[in-house]
Amino acid sequence: MPSTLVRPLDLSDAATAVAVHRIGRAAYAVEAALIGFDGIPALGESLAEMRGRPLRWLGAVAPDGGIAGFLAWEEPGSGGPVILDRLCVDPSRFRGGVASLLLRHALRELFPGRTVEVTTGADNAPAVALYERLGFVRGADFSPAPGLRMASFTHG
C-alpha cells in the first residue's frame, strides 16, 4: 500500500475515535469467528472505554482519507517490553498489506531495538502468519478462558 500514509491517531477527535471503534469491532468480529470465541474484550468495549485506555495509536490512512487500520500499544514503564494491545484492519481492506505496513513501520520507526510482545488467538491463522513472517518468535500458548487458546509472540 505505497499510497497509504502511516500517522499517529488522536482519539480525542470524535470522528477518528468513532472510525477506530467501528473498525476494531468489525475486525474483532472476524477474529471471533476464526477462533470460535466471541468473548474478545474489545468486542464489548464501549467507545468511551476504548478512548479511556492508556494506549498510543497509529493509523494507516488510505488515499481517500479513511482509516484502513490501526495499531495500539502500551508504553512500558522502566524499560520493559512494548505490549501491542491491538492491530486491526477494516475488513473491507483485508489482504491489502495494511497490517504489515503498520507493523513494519512500528518496528522500524517507533520501536527499533526494543522488545515487542503481542498475543492473538492461536487459531487466527492470518494473524499468526503475519507475526511469524515479520520475525516474531512464537512463545507458549495459553488459555485465559475456557475454550480460548492464545498464542504469544516476541520480537527483538
Side-chain angles (χ1 to χ4, degrees):
M1 300 199 87
S3 58
T4 299
L5 174 69
V6 176
R7 66 172 176 79
L9 296 177
D10 179 4
L11 269 59
S12 68
D13 175 74
T16 300
V18 167
V20 166
H21 190 250
R22 177 190 57 77
I23 291 166
R25 290 179 64 110
Y28 281 119
V30 172
E31 182 176 21
L34 285 172
I35 67 174
F37 181 80
D38 65 1
I40 298 171
L43 272 174
E45 187 177 62
S46 72
L47 178 62
E49 289 168 332
M50 182 194 74
R51 288 173 97 177
R53 301 277 317 272
L55 299 174
R56 300 201 42 206
W57 301 84
L58 183 71
V61 181
D64 65 7
I67 297 172
F70 61 86
L71 174 68
W73 68 95
E74 295 178 34
E75 277 296 327
S78 64
V82 175
I83 308 297
L84 299 185
D85 185 79
R86 53 191 86 193
L87 172 61
C88 297
V89 174
D90 187 323
S92 71
R93 300 179 193 263
F94 278 1
R95 312 282 311 154
V98 175
S100 295
L101 175 72
L102 286 164
L103 270 177
R104 282 189 179 109
H105 177 88
L107 292 170
R108 273 195 313 257
E109 304 296 325
L110 303 176
F111 316 132
R114 295 172 69 186
T115 300
V116 179
E117 297 178 352
V118 66
T119 61
T120 190
D123 293 328
N124 184 344
V128 168
L130 170 70
Y131 294 126
E132 289 175 341
R133 187 172 63 251
L134 293 182
F136 283 77
V137 176
R138 189 166 179 166
D141 287 1
F142 63 100
S143 292
L148 175 61
R149 190 168 54 97
M150 299 292 291
S152 62
F153 293 89
T154 303
H155 187 283

